[in-house]
Amino acid sequence: ALKTNIGGTLNLVKLSHQYGVKRFVLVSTDKAVNPSSVMGASKRICEYIIHAYALLYPKTTLYTAVRFGNVLGSRGSVIPTFNRQIDDGGPVTVTHPDMTRYFMSIAEAANLVIHAACMTKNNEIFLLQMGETVKILDIAERMIRLRGLRPYIDIPIEFTGMRPGEKMHEELRHEQEAPSETAHP
């Protein structure tokens, strides 16, 4: 996470400045808000890198970040894991019965990243309106039912407990950040 996120971002930011790239968009995460894991901390540092370059070199590249929650169907999404577990007859593993996350589709995420690139004036973090949080347990139960099966009867659900650095509920912004509306709905 450190090498890829921080090193990769720093290299790309330097190259963007060197070659006069017009716009640079960092895809950040809600895990960067009050980070409790290496992944979240590394993304928060990436946001600081973008901020620093936006302040140091305001006339070359427009630097911005987009911060949002989980993308359904992406590599780290819970959906493929649940599908595999259901295909195998269970159990479906859920961290905690009350754990929630924000979700969006790949198409929504890609669209919003492109809009952020078009809208940036430099040095912004776009906080996307993610809607309501969703319980991970609700997703697991719905996926089981969509297969015509019964949760806890046909397919067991096991609670594995939270891992170190994992949050019960993600946040989209820091307390000191004062979001403002944009022209984009």
Side-chain angles (χ1 to χ4, degrees):
L2 295 175
K3 188 174 183 179
T4 299
N5 290 341
I6 298 171
T9 297
L10 187 57
N11 286 337
L12 289 172
V13 165
K14 286 178 180 178
L15 289 168
S16 296
H17 172 69
Q18 180 181 345
Y19 290 101
V21 170
K22 299 283 184 223
R23 297 166 191 274
F24 185 103
V25 179
L26 169 73
V27 176
S28 192
T29 173
D30 52 6
K31 290 168 181 48
V33 179
N34 300 316
S36 61
S37 66
V38 172
M39 164 61 162
S42 69
K43 282 293 196 170
R44 184 66 178 149
I45 292 169
C46 293
E47 290 181 0
Y48 284 128
I49 291 169
I50 297 298
H51 176 66
Y53 266 75
L55 293 176
L56 289 170
Y57 308 107
K59 294 188 169 65
T60 45
T61 301
L62 299 177
Y63 295 98
T64 192
V66 178
R67 186 189 298 151
F68 50 80
N70 297 276
V71 178
L72 291 168
S74 67
R75 207 170 108 207
S77 174
V78 71
I79 302 300
T81 301
F82 285 173
N83 273 328
R84 184 179 37 76
Q85 290 173 339
I86 295 167
D87 287 344
D88 292 344
V92 171
T93 56
V94 176
T95 307
H96 189 282
D98 296 324
M99 184 168 278
T100 62
R101 292 292 181 266
Y102 292 98
F103 289 98
M104 67 186 335
S105 70
I106 292 172
E108 287 173 313
N111 187 327
L112 291 167
V113 169
I114 291 167
H115 277 91
C118 295
M119 293 170 54
T120 188
K121 292 181 178 40
N122 200 25
N123 199 23
E124 295 108 347
I125 296 178
F126 287 93
L127 308 174
L128 307 177
Q129 294 179 353
M130 295 293 301
E132 296 298 315
T133 58
V134 178
K135 277 188 169 186
I136 304 297
L137 177 59
D138 290 347
I139 292 173
E141 290 173 347
R142 285 181 197 154
M143 288 181 67
I144 293 168
R145 285 189 192 99
L146 283 171
R147 301 277 190 94
L149 301 167
R150 298 168 296 176
Y152 310 102
I153 297 169
D154 300 321
I155 301 287
I157 297 177
E158 290 181 2
F159 298 103
T160 59
M162 291 176 55
R163 296 179 296 267
E166 197 166 29
K167 293 181 181 179
M168 185 70 73
H169 311 286
E170 297 289 358
E171 308 162 84
L172 291 176
R173 66 181 182 90
H174 296 276
E175 278 185 26
Q176 67 271 24
E177 292 175 334
S180 58
E181 295 288 326
T182 67
H184 191 283

Short mmCIF file of all heavy atoms in Angstrom, two decimals, residues 95-155:
data_model
loop_
_atom_site.label_atom_id
_atom_site.label_comp_id
_atom_site.label_asym_id
_atom_site.label_seq_id
_atom_site.Cartn_x
_atom_site.Cartn_y
_atom_site.Cartn_z
N THR A 95 -18.07 -9.66 8.64
CA THR A 95 -17.22 -9.23 9.75
C THR A 95 -18.01 -9.02 11.03
O THR A 95 -17.67 -9.54 12.07
CB THR A 95 -16.47 -7.93 9.36
OG1 THR A 95 -15.80 -8.16 8.13
CG2 THR A 95 -15.47 -7.55 10.41
N HIS A 96 -19.08 -8.21 10.93
CA HIS A 96 -19.86 -7.85 12.12
C HIS A 96 -21.29 -7.56 11.67
O HIS A 96 -21.49 -6.95 10.61
CB HIS A 96 -19.24 -6.61 12.78
CG HIS A 96 -19.82 -6.28 14.11
ND1 HIS A 96 -21.04 -5.66 14.26
CD2 HIS A 96 -19.34 -6.48 15.36
CE1 HIS A 96 -21.29 -5.48 15.54
NE2 HIS A 96 -20.26 -5.97 16.24
N PRO A 97 -22.29 -7.94 12.44
CA PRO A 97 -23.68 -7.74 12.00
C PRO A 97 -24.08 -6.28 11.83
O PRO A 97 -25.01 -5.98 11.07
CB PRO A 97 -24.52 -8.41 13.09
CG PRO A 97 -23.61 -8.66 14.23
CD PRO A 97 -22.21 -8.67 13.71
N ASP A 98 -23.39 -5.34 12.47
CA ASP A 98 -23.76 -3.93 12.38
C ASP A 98 -22.84 -3.12 11.46
O ASP A 98 -23.02 -1.91 11.32
CB ASP A 98 -23.75 -3.30 13.77
CG ASP A 98 -24.81 -3.92 14.68
OD1 ASP A 98 -25.90 -4.25 14.17
OD2 ASP A 98 -24.54 -4.08 15.89
N MET A 99 -21.87 -3.75 10.82
CA MET A 99 -20.92 -3.02 9.98
C MET A 99 -21.63 -2.45 8.75
O MET A 99 -22.45 -3.13 8.12
CB MET A 99 -19.79 -3.94 9.54
CG MET A 99 -18.73 -3.21 8.73
SD MET A 99 -17.26 -4.23 8.51
CE MET A 99 -16.46 -3.93 10.07
N THR A 100 -21.32 -1.19 8.44
CA THR A 100 -21.92 -0.53 7.28
C THR A 100 -20.84 0.03 6.38
O THR A 100 -19.71 0.27 6.81
CB THR A 100 -22.84 0.64 7.71
OG1 THR A 100 -22.06 1.62 8.39
CG2 THR A 100 -23.98 0.17 8.58
N ARG A 101 -21.21 0.23 5.12
CA ARG A 101 -20.33 0.85 4.14
C ARG A 101 -21.17 1.65 3.15
O ARG A 101 -22.36 1.42 2.99
CB ARG A 101 -19.52 -0.20 3.36
CG ARG A 101 -18.48 -0.94 4.18
CD ARG A 101 -17.35 -0.02 4.59
NE ARG A 101 -16.33 -0.69 5.36
CZ ARG A 101 -16.28 -0.74 6.69
NH1 ARG A 101 -17.22 -0.17 7.42
NH2 ARG A 101 -15.27 -1.33 7.30
N TYR A 102 -20.49 2.58 2.46
CA TYR A 102 -21.09 3.29 1.33
C TYR A 102 -20.76 2.49 0.07
O TYR A 102 -19.68 1.94 -0.05
CB TYR A 102 -20.49 4.70 1.19
CG TYR A 102 -20.85 5.63 2.31
CD1 TYR A 102 -19.98 5.86 3.37
CD2 TYR A 102 -22.06 6.31 2.30
CE1 TYR A 102 -20.30 6.73 4.38
CE2 TYR A 102 -22.39 7.19 3.32
CZ TYR A 102 -21.50 7.39 4.35
OH TYR A 102 -21.83 8.26 5.36
N PHE A 103 -21.70 2.45 -0.88
CA PHE A 103 -21.47 1.71 -2.11
C PHE A 103 -21.90 2.52 -3.33
O PHE A 103 -22.83 3.33 -3.26
CB PHE A 103 -22.28 0.40 -2.12
CG PHE A 103 -21.75 -0.62 -1.16
CD1 PHE A 103 -22.32 -0.79 0.09
CD2 PHE A 103 -20.68 -1.44 -1.52
CE1 PHE A 103 -21.83 -1.74 0.98
CE2 PHE A 103 -20.19 -2.38 -0.63
CZ PHE A 103 -20.76 -2.53 0.61
N MET A 104 -21.22 2.27 -4.45
CA MET A 104 -21.62 2.82 -5.74
C MET A 104 -21.17 1.84 -6.82
O MET A 104 -20.35 0.96 -6.57
CB MET A 104 -21.01 4.20 -5.95
CG MET A 104 -19.52 4.22 -6.09
SD MET A 104 -18.75 5.86 -6.16
CE MET A 104 -19.99 6.91 -6.75
N SER A 105 -21.71 2.02 -8.03
CA SER A 105 -21.35 1.14 -9.13
C SER A 105 -20.06 1.62 -9.80
O SER A 105 -19.64 2.77 -9.63
CB SER A 105 -22.47 1.10 -10.17
OG SER A 105 -22.54 2.34 -10.85
N ILE A 106 -19.44 0.75 -10.58
CA ILE A 106 -18.24 1.11 -11.33
C ILE A 106 -18.56 2.25 -12.28
O ILE A 106 -17.78 3.21 -12.40
CB ILE A 106 -17.68 -0.12 -12.09
CG1 ILE A 106 -17.15 -1.15 -11.11
CG2 ILE A 106 -16.60 0.30 -13.08
CD1 ILE A 106 -16.74 -2.48 -11.75
N ALA A 107 -19.70 2.19 -12.96
CA ALA A 107 -20.08 3.25 -13.90
C ALA A 107 -20.25 4.59 -13.20
O ALA A 107 -19.79 5.63 -13.70
CB ALA A 107 -21.37 2.86 -14.63
N GLU A 108 -20.89 4.59 -12.02
CA GLU A 108 -21.04 5.83 -11.26
C GLU A 108 -19.68 6.39 -10.86
O GLU A 108 -19.43 7.59 -10.98
CB GLU A 108 -21.87 5.59 -9.99
CG GLU A 108 -23.33 5.36 -10.23
CD GLU A 108 -24.06 4.95 -8.95
OE1 GLU A 108 -23.56 4.06 -8.23
OE2 GLU A 108 -25.11 5.55 -8.69
N ALA A 109 -18.81 5.52 -10.39
CA ALA A 109 -17.49 5.96 -9.94
C ALA A 109 -16.70 6.57 -11.11
O ALA A 109 -16.14 7.66 -10.98
CB ALA A 109 -16.72 4.79 -9.34
N ALA A 110 -16.68 5.89 -12.24
CA ALA A 110 -15.94 6.39 -13.40
C ALA A 110 -16.51 7.73 -13.87
O ALA A 110 -15.75 8.68 -14.16
CB ALA A 110 -15.99 5.37 -14.53
N ASN A 111 -17.82 7.83 -13.92
CA ASN A 111 -18.48 9.06 -14.35
C ASN A 111 -18.11 10.22 -13.43
O ASN A 111 -17.80 11.33 -13.89
CB ASN A 111 -20.00 8.83 -14.37
CG ASN A 111 -20.77 9.98 -14.96
OD1 ASN A 111 -20.40 11.13 -14.83
ND2 ASN A 111 -21.87 9.66 -15.60
N LEU A 112 -18.13 9.98 -12.13
CA LEU A 112 -17.85 11.04 -11.17
C LEU A 112 -16.39 11.46 -11.18
O LEU A 112 -16.07 12.63 -10.99
CB LEU A 112 -18.32 10.62 -9.79
CG LEU A 112 -19.85 10.54 -9.68
CD1 LEU A 112 -20.26 9.81 -8.41
CD2 LEU A 112 -20.48 11.90 -9.75
N VAL A 113 -15.48 10.53 -11.44
CA VAL A 113 -14.06 10.89 -11.56
C VAL A 113 -13.86 11.81 -12.76
O VAL A 113 -13.16 12.82 -12.68
CB VAL A 113 -13.17 9.63 -11.66
CG1 VAL A 113 -11.75 9.98 -12.05
CG2 VAL A 113 -13.19 8.86 -10.34
N ILE A 114 -14.50 11.49 -13.88
CA ILE A 114 -14.38 12.32 -15.08
C ILE A 114 -14.98 13.71 -14.83
O ILE A 114 -14.40 14.72 -15.21
CB ILE A 114 -15.05 11.62 -16.29
CG1 ILE A 114 -14.22 10.39 -16.67
CG2 ILE A 114 -15.20 12.58 -17.46
CD1 ILE A 114 -14.90 9.44 -17.63
N HIS A 115 -16.13 13.75 -14.18
CA HIS A 115 -16.73 15.05 -13.87
C HIS A 115 -15.83 15.88 -12.95
O HIS A 115 -15.70 17.10 -13.13
CB HIS A 115 -18.12 14.88 -13.23
CG HIS A 115 -19.20 14.69 -14.23
ND1 HIS A 115 -19.59 13.45 -14.66
CD2 HIS A 115 -19.95 15.58 -14.89
CE1 HIS A 115 -20.55 13.58 -15.55
NE2 HIS A 115 -20.80 14.87 -15.71
N ALA A 116 -15.21 15.25 -11.98
CA ALA A 116 -14.30 15.97 -11.08
C ALA A 116 -13.14 16.57 -11.87
O ALA A 116 -12.73 17.71 -11.63
CB ALA A 116 -13.79 15.04 -9.99
N ALA A 117 -12.61 15.81 -12.82
CA ALA A 117 -11.51 16.31 -13.64
C ALA A 117 -11.95 17.53 -14.44
O ALA A 117 -11.20 18.50 -14.59
CB ALA A 117 -11.02 15.21 -14.59
N CYS A 118 -13.17 17.50 -14.93
CA CYS A 118 -13.69 18.63 -15.72
C CYS A 118 -14.00 19.85 -14.86
O CYS A 118 -13.85 20.98 -15.30
CB CYS A 118 -14.95 18.20 -16.47
SG CYS A 118 -14.66 16.94 -17.72
N MET A 119 -14.43 19.62 -13.63
CA MET A 119 -14.89 20.71 -12.77
C MET A 119 -13.79 21.35 -11.93
O MET A 119 -13.97 22.47 -11.45
CB MET A 119 -15.97 20.19 -11.83
CG MET A 119 -17.24 19.78 -12.52
SD MET A 119 -18.39 18.91 -11.43
CE MET A 119 -18.53 20.04 -10.07
N THR A 120 -12.67 20.68 -11.75
CA THR A 120 -11.67 21.19 -10.82
C THR A 120 -11.12 22.55 -11.23
O THR A 120 -10.93 22.82 -12.41
CB THR A 120 -10.51 20.20 -10.60
OG1 THR A 120 -9.68 20.69 -9.56
CG2 THR A 120 -9.69 20.00 -11.86
N LYS A 121 -10.89 23.36 -10.24
CA LYS A 121 -10.22 24.64 -10.44
C LYS A 121 -8.82 24.58 -9.82
O LYS A 121 -8.07 25.53 -9.92
CB LYS A 121 -11.05 25.76 -9.83
CG LYS A 121 -12.36 25.98 -10.59
CD LYS A 121 -13.15 27.12 -9.98
CE LYS A 121 -14.43 27.42 -10.71
NZ LYS A 121 -15.20 26.32 -11.17
N ASN A 122 -8.50 23.52 -9.12
CA ASN A 122 -7.22 23.20 -8.50
C ASN A 122 -7.39 23.08 -6.99
O ASN A 122 -8.07 23.88 -6.35
CB ASN A 122 -6.13 24.23 -8.80
CG ASN A 122 -4.73 23.67 -8.56
OD1 ASN A 122 -4.52 22.46 -8.64
ND2 ASN A 122 -3.77 24.54 -8.30
N ASN A 123 -6.76 22.05 -6.45
CA ASN A 123 -6.65 21.86 -5.00
C ASN A 123 -7.99 21.58 -4.31
O ASN A 123 -8.24 22.10 -3.23
CB ASN A 123 -5.96 23.07 -4.36
CG ASN A 123 -5.42 22.75 -2.98
OD1 ASN A 123 -5.17 21.59 -2.66
ND2 ASN A 123 -5.25 23.76 -2.16
N GLU A 124 -8.82 20.78 -4.92
CA GLU A 124 -10.07 20.38 -4.27
C GLU A 124 -10.03 18.89 -3.95
O GLU A 124 -9.32 18.13 -4.57
CB GLU A 124 -11.30 20.60 -5.17
CG GLU A 124 -11.59 22.04 -5.50
CD GLU A 124 -11.27 22.37 -6.94
OE1 GLU A 124 -10.59 21.58 -7.61
OE2 GLU A 124 -11.68 23.44 -7.37
N ILE A 125 -10.85 18.53 -2.98
CA ILE A 125 -11.18 17.14 -2.75
C ILE A 125 -12.69 17.06 -2.97
O ILE A 125 -13.46 17.71 -2.26
CB ILE A 125 -10.84 16.66 -1.32
CG1 ILE A 125 -9.34 16.72 -1.08
CG2 ILE A 125 -11.36 15.23 -1.12
CD1 ILE A 125 -8.92 16.32 0.32
N PHE A 126 -13.09 16.31 -3.97
CA PHE A 126 -14.51 16.14 -4.23
C PHE A 126 -15.03 15.00 -3.37
O PHE A 126 -14.52 13.88 -3.44
CB PHE A 126 -14.77 15.87 -5.72
CG PHE A 126 -14.60 17.09 -6.58
CD1 PHE A 126 -13.39 17.37 -7.18
CD2 PHE A 126 -15.66 17.97 -6.76
CE1 PHE A 126 -13.22 18.50 -7.95
CE2 PHE A 126 -15.51 19.10 -7.53
CZ PHE A 126 -14.28 19.37 -8.14
N LEU A 127 -15.99 15.32 -2.53
CA LEU A 127 -16.62 14.33 -1.66
C LEU A 127 -17.96 13.98 -2.30
O LEU A 127 -18.85 14.81 -2.37
CB LEU A 127 -16.87 14.91 -0.26
CG LEU A 127 -15.66 15.55 0.42
CD1 LEU A 127 -16.08 16.20 1.72
CD2 LEU A 127 -14.60 14.50 0.66
N LEU A 128 -18.07 12.78 -2.76
CA LEU A 128 -19.28 12.39 -3.48
C LEU A 128 -20.41 12.09 -2.52
O LEU A 128 -20.20 11.56 -1.43
CB LEU A 128 -18.96 11.20 -4.36
CG LEU A 128 -17.76 11.42 -5.28
CD1 LEU A 128 -17.46 10.19 -6.08
CD2 LEU A 128 -17.99 12.60 -6.19
N GLN A 129 -21.61 12.45 -2.91
CA GLN A 129 -22.78 12.13 -2.11
C GLN A 129 -23.08 10.65 -2.31
O GLN A 129 -23.63 10.25 -3.32
CB GLN A 129 -23.97 12.99 -2.53
CG GLN A 129 -23.77 14.44 -2.22
CD GLN A 129 -24.94 15.30 -2.65
OE1 GLN A 129 -25.86 14.84 -3.29
NE2 GLN A 129 -24.88 16.57 -2.30
N MET A 130 -22.71 9.88 -1.32
CA MET A 130 -22.81 8.42 -1.43
C MET A 130 -24.16 7.88 -1.01
O MET A 130 -24.40 6.69 -1.10
CB MET A 130 -21.71 7.76 -0.58
CG MET A 130 -20.30 8.04 -1.06
SD MET A 130 -19.93 7.29 -2.65
CE MET A 130 -20.20 5.58 -2.32
N GLY A 131 -25.04 8.74 -0.55
CA GLY A 131 -26.35 8.26 -0.10
C GLY A 131 -26.24 7.63 1.27
O GLY A 131 -25.37 7.96 2.06
N GLU A 132 -27.14 6.70 1.53
CA GLU A 132 -27.18 6.04 2.85
C GLU A 132 -26.19 4.89 2.90
O GLU A 132 -25.89 4.27 1.88
CB GLU A 132 -28.60 5.50 3.10
CG GLU A 132 -29.67 6.58 3.19
CD GLU A 132 -29.43 7.55 4.33
OE1 GLU A 132 -29.10 7.09 5.45
OE2 GLU A 132 -29.55 8.76 4.10
N THR A 133 -25.70 4.63 4.08
CA THR A 133 -24.84 3.46 4.26
C THR A 133 -25.69 2.20 4.18
O THR A 133 -26.90 2.23 4.39
CB THR A 133 -24.12 3.50 5.62
OG1 THR A 133 -25.09 3.57 6.65
CG2 THR A 133 -23.17 4.67 5.70
N VAL A 134 -25.04 1.11 3.85
CA VAL A 134 -25.71 -0.19 3.72
C VAL A 134 -25.02 -1.16 4.66
O VAL A 134 -23.79 -1.21 4.73
CB VAL A 134 -25.61 -0.70 2.27
CG1 VAL A 134 -26.25 -2.08 2.12
CG2 VAL A 134 -26.24 0.29 1.30
N LYS A 135 -25.82 -1.95 5.36
CA LYS A 135 -25.24 -2.99 6.22
C LYS A 135 -24.70 -4.12 5.34
O LYS A 135 -25.40 -4.62 4.45
CB LYS A 135 -26.31 -3.57 7.16
CG LYS A 135 -26.54 -2.79 8.40
CD LYS A 135 -27.47 -3.58 9.31
CE LYS A 135 -27.53 -2.99 10.68
NZ LYS A 135 -28.31 -3.82 11.60
N ILE A 136 -23.48 -4.53 5.62
CA ILE A 136 -22.87 -5.65 4.89
C ILE A 136 -23.72 -6.91 5.07
O ILE A 136 -23.92 -7.68 4.13
CB ILE A 136 -21.43 -5.89 5.37
CG1 ILE A 136 -20.58 -4.62 5.25
CG2 ILE A 136 -20.80 -7.05 4.64
CD1 ILE A 136 -20.38 -4.12 3.86
N LEU A 137 -24.26 -7.09 6.26
CA LEU A 137 -25.11 -8.25 6.52
C LEU A 137 -26.34 -8.25 5.62
O LEU A 137 -26.73 -9.30 5.09
CB LEU A 137 -25.55 -8.27 8.00
CG LEU A 137 -26.50 -9.40 8.40
CD1 LEU A 137 -25.89 -10.76 8.13
CD2 LEU A 137 -26.88 -9.26 9.87
N ASP A 138 -26.94 -7.09 5.39
CA ASP A 138 -28.10 -7.00 4.50
C ASP A 138 -27.76 -7.43 3.08
O ASP A 138 -28.54 -8.11 2.41
CB ASP A 138 -28.68 -5.58 4.48
CG ASP A 138 -29.36 -5.19 5.78
OD1 ASP A 138 -29.61 -6.08 6.63
OD2 ASP A 138 -29.63 -3.98 5.97
N ILE A 139 -26.57 -7.05 2.62
CA ILE A 139 -26.13 -7.45 1.28
C ILE A 139 -25.99 -8.97 1.22
O ILE A 139 -26.46 -9.61 0.27
CB ILE A 139 -24.80 -6.77 0.91
CG1 ILE A 139 -25.02 -5.27 0.74
CG2 ILE A 139 -24.21 -7.37 -0.36
CD1 ILE A 139 -23.74 -4.49 0.55
N ALA A 140 -25.37 -9.55 2.22
CA ALA A 140 -25.19 -11.01 2.25
C ALA A 140 -26.54 -11.72 2.23
O ALA A 140 -26.74 -12.66 1.45
CB ALA A 140 -24.39 -11.42 3.49
N GLU A 141 -27.46 -11.28 3.08
CA GLU A 141 -28.78 -11.93 3.14
C GLU A 141 -29.53 -11.78 1.81
O GLU A 141 -30.15 -12.74 1.34
CB GLU A 141 -29.60 -11.33 4.28
CG GLU A 141 -29.07 -11.70 5.65
CD GLU A 141 -29.76 -10.98 6.80
OE1 GLU A 141 -30.50 -9.99 6.57
OE2 GLU A 141 -29.57 -11.41 7.95
N ARG A 142 -29.47 -10.59 1.21
CA ARG A 142 -30.17 -10.37 -0.08
C ARG A 142 -29.59 -11.25 -1.18
O ARG A 142 -30.32 -11.79 -2.00
CB ARG A 142 -30.08 -8.90 -0.48
CG ARG A 142 -30.98 -8.00 0.31
CD ARG A 142 -30.89 -6.57 -0.15
NE ARG A 142 -31.44 -5.69 0.86
CZ ARG A 142 -31.11 -4.44 1.03
NH1 ARG A 142 -30.22 -3.88 0.23
NH2 ARG A 142 -31.66 -3.71 1.97
N MET A 143 -28.26 -11.35 -1.21
CA MET A 143 -27.63 -12.17 -2.24
C MET A 143 -28.02 -13.63 -2.11
O MET A 143 -28.23 -14.32 -3.11
CB MET A 143 -26.11 -11.99 -2.20
CG MET A 143 -25.67 -10.63 -2.71
SD MET A 143 -23.87 -10.42 -2.68
CE MET A 143 -23.38 -11.62 -3.92
N ILE A 144 -28.13 -14.10 -0.90
CA ILE A 144 -28.56 -15.49 -0.67
C ILE A 144 -30.00 -15.66 -1.14
O ILE A 144 -30.33 -16.62 -1.86
CB ILE A 144 -28.41 -15.87 0.82
CG1 ILE A 144 -26.92 -15.90 1.20
CG2 ILE A 144 -29.08 -17.21 1.12
CD1 ILE A 144 -26.64 -15.98 2.70
N ARG A 145 -30.87 -14.73 -0.77
CA ARG A 145 -32.28 -14.81 -1.18
C ARG A 145 -32.46 -14.72 -2.69
O ARG A 145 -33.34 -15.37 -3.26
CB ARG A 145 -33.09 -13.70 -0.50
CG ARG A 145 -33.36 -13.97 0.96
CD ARG A 145 -34.36 -12.96 1.55
NE ARG A 145 -34.37 -13.07 2.98
CZ ARG A 145 -33.71 -12.26 3.82
NH1 ARG A 145 -33.02 -11.25 3.35
NH2 ARG A 145 -33.76 -12.45 5.11
N LEU A 146 -31.62 -13.90 -3.36
CA LEU A 146 -31.71 -13.78 -4.82
C LEU A 146 -31.41 -15.11 -5.52
O LEU A 146 -31.80 -15.31 -6.66
CB LEU A 146 -30.74 -12.70 -5.32
CG LEU A 146 -31.21 -11.27 -5.11
CD1 LEU A 146 -30.08 -10.28 -5.43
CD2 LEU A 146 -32.45 -10.95 -5.94
N ARG A 147 -30.75 -16.01 -4.84
CA ARG A 147 -30.47 -17.34 -5.39
C ARG A 147 -31.58 -18.34 -5.05
O ARG A 147 -31.46 -19.52 -5.32
CB ARG A 147 -29.16 -17.88 -4.84
CG ARG A 147 -27.95 -17.01 -5.12
CD ARG A 147 -27.39 -17.30 -6.52
NE ARG A 147 -26.11 -16.67 -6.70
CZ ARG A 147 -24.94 -17.23 -6.48
NH1 ARG A 147 -24.86 -18.48 -6.09
NH2 ARG A 147 -23.83 -16.56 -6.68
N GLY A 148 -32.65 -17.83 -4.40
CA GLY A 148 -33.74 -18.71 -4.00
C GLY A 148 -33.42 -19.52 -2.76
O GLY A 148 -34.08 -20.54 -2.50
N LEU A 149 -32.44 -19.08 -2.01
CA LEU A 149 -32.02 -19.79 -0.81
C LEU A 149 -32.37 -18.98 0.43
O LEU A 149 -32.68 -17.78 0.34
CB LEU A 149 -30.51 -20.06 -0.86
CG LEU A 149 -30.03 -20.88 -2.07
CD1 LEU A 149 -28.52 -20.82 -2.19
CD2 LEU A 149 -30.53 -22.31 -1.95
N ARG A 150 -32.32 -19.63 1.58
CA ARG A 150 -32.67 -18.98 2.84
C ARG A 150 -31.41 -18.75 3.68
O ARG A 150 -30.70 -19.73 3.98
CB ARG A 150 -33.68 -19.82 3.62
CG ARG A 150 -35.00 -20.01 2.86
CD ARG A 150 -35.85 -21.06 3.49
NE ARG A 150 -35.15 -22.36 3.39
CZ ARG A 150 -35.57 -23.49 3.90
NH1 ARG A 150 -36.69 -23.54 4.58
NH2 ARG A 150 -34.88 -24.61 3.76
N PRO A 151 -31.18 -17.48 4.07
CA PRO A 151 -30.04 -17.20 4.94
C PRO A 151 -30.18 -17.94 6.27
O PRO A 151 -31.30 -18.09 6.79
CB PRO A 151 -30.09 -15.69 5.17
CG PRO A 151 -31.02 -15.16 4.13
CD PRO A 151 -31.92 -16.27 3.72
N TYR A 152 -29.10 -18.43 6.79
CA TYR A 152 -29.00 -19.13 8.08
C TYR A 152 -29.58 -20.54 8.04
O TYR A 152 -29.35 -21.33 8.93
CB TYR A 152 -29.66 -18.35 9.22
CG TYR A 152 -29.23 -16.91 9.30
CD1 TYR A 152 -30.05 -15.90 8.82
CD2 TYR A 152 -28.00 -16.57 9.85
CE1 TYR A 152 -29.65 -14.57 8.88
CE2 TYR A 152 -27.60 -15.24 9.91
CZ TYR A 152 -28.43 -14.26 9.42
OH TYR A 152 -28.04 -12.94 9.48
N ILE A 153 -30.36 -20.86 6.99
CA ILE A 153 -30.95 -22.20 6.89
C ILE A 153 -30.24 -22.96 5.77
O ILE A 153 -29.60 -23.98 6.02
CB ILE A 153 -32.48 -22.12 6.65
CG1 ILE A 153 -33.15 -21.44 7.84
CG2 ILE A 153 -33.06 -23.51 6.40
CD1 ILE A 153 -34.60 -21.05 7.63
N ASP A 154 -30.39 -22.45 4.53
CA ASP A 154 -29.72 -23.10 3.39
C ASP A 154 -28.24 -22.71 3.30
O ASP A 154 -27.41 -23.53 2.91
CB ASP A 154 -30.42 -22.72 2.08
CG ASP A 154 -31.88 -23.14 2.06
OD1 ASP A 154 -32.19 -24.24 2.56
OD2 ASP A 154 -32.71 -22.35 1.56
N ILE A 155 -27.96 -21.47 3.60
CA ILE A 155 -26.59 -20.94 3.56
C ILE A 155 -26.29 -20.29 4.91
O ILE A 155 -26.91 -19.29 5.27
CB ILE A 155 -26.41 -19.90 2.43
CG1 ILE A 155 -26.73 -20.48 1.05
CG2 ILE A 155 -24.99 -19.31 2.47
CD1 ILE A 155 -25.72 -21.45 0.50
#
